[in-house]
Amino acid sequence: MSEQITREDALTREGYRHACHIMLHGDSSAKLFGKIPIKHIVLMQMRFDGLLGFPGGLVNPSKETLEAGLSRELHEEVGVAVPVGVDNHVSTSLSPSCPQLITHFYIKKMTEAELKEIERAAVAAATDHGLEVLGMVRVPLYFLKNGGGLPYFLSHSFISNSRAQLLSALQRCGLLSQGELEKAVRQAEQMRR
Ligand code: GTP
Ligand code: MN
Ligand code: MN
Ligand code: MN
Ligand code: MN
Ligand code: MN
């Protein structure tokens, strides 16, 4: 796990760049194959570099607040300027992969209709679509036979510490139990061998 610091401490440090990313999620009543409840929609994206990550990006705190910068990045990457506040902030870390980068993570719960509108706008309106962002993806939170669902999803490659951000956010929001998360991580580990 990467080193955590407070949002306030981060803003006093000099010589660091800041990046803000967010997990947009919400409840859903839809059923896969008409029988497996998907329960929750959790949005990530396929990035230009082939890695999975959350929407968001670099923010310059001397020119904009972290949250206004994140909202600007969302407008570029998903085509909707989703309002984000300090109350959506959950953690700030020193990037494990990029020296002199501080990553701020946010979570926002939305309605199923709002999330579907974001998925449409990400294709129809986002200026980054097909460029820096290859597409929004939903995270499968269920378990199918032979590791299908969340274990296979976790076996893909993720940018920086976004995989750890996903796992801690799923736990924090109570979208999966501790036991389910451990099972998914264990099965994903076996696939990567
Ligand atoms: P440009 O518009 O090209 O500048 O990209 P961007 O502003 O959208 O930046 P990007 O989203 O690539 O994020 C900047 C840096 O933050 C990346 O180089 C990664 O090191 C890191 N990063 C990207 N996505 C995530 C994420 O989901 N979680 C975390 N923790 N870090 C990320
Ligand atoms: Mn089908
Ligand atoms: Mn961007
Ligand atoms: Mn980005
Ligand atoms: Mn940017
Ligand atoms: Mn850009």
Side-chain angles (χ1 to χ4, degrees), residues 21 45 56-58 72-74 76-77 128 132-133:
H21 293 89
Q45 66 184 15
L58 294 169
R72 172 186 53 72
E73 281 289 340
L74 288 173
E76 295 168 7
E77 299 190 357
D128 283 349
E132 289 170 35
V133 182

Side-chain angles (χ1 to χ4, degrees), residues 2-131:
S2 47
E3 186 185 340
Q4 307 251 124
I5 59 174
T6 66
R7 180 182 176 285
E8 292 67 34
D9 177 15
L11 289 170
T12 65
R13 298 198 182 202
E14 276 172 34
Y16 281 86
R17 291 182 309 145
H18 295 258
C20 299
H21 293 89
I22 189 166
M23 185 177 95
L24 302 173
H25 73 102
D27 299 332
S28 171
S29 55
K31 288 189 172 144
L32 175 65
F33 310 133
K35 63 177 183 209
I36 300 164
I38 67 164
K39 293 189 196 152
H40 310 284
I41 297 169
V42 171
L43 297 183
M44 292 190 79
Q45 66 184 15
M46 178 56 71
R47 295 162 42 90
F48 66 93
D49 53 17
L51 296 172
L52 290 163
F54 289 100
L58 294 169
V59 170
N60 182 346
S62 67
K63 297 210 175 96
E64 55 192 349
T65 65
L66 293 174
E67 292 73 28
L70 175 53
S71 193
R72 172 186 53 72
E73 281 289 340
L74 288 173
H75 189 236
E76 295 168 7
E77 299 190 357
V78 303
V80 178
V82 181
V84 182
V86 178
D87 53 321
N88 297 115
H89 175 264
V90 291
S91 63
T92 291
S93 314
L94 299 178
S95 169
S97 50
C98 223
Q100 305 303 108
L101 178 69
I102 292 174
T103 58
H104 305 269
F105 188 60
Y106 295 75
I107 299 178
K108 182 164 177 161
K109 187 168 186 185
M110 307 181 83
T111 66
E112 184 166 17
E114 287 169 333
L115 292 164
K116 285 182 169 177
E117 177 51 31
I118 284 174
E119 290 175 318
R120 273 191 294 273
V123 177
T127 53
D128 283 349
H129 179 67
L131 300 169

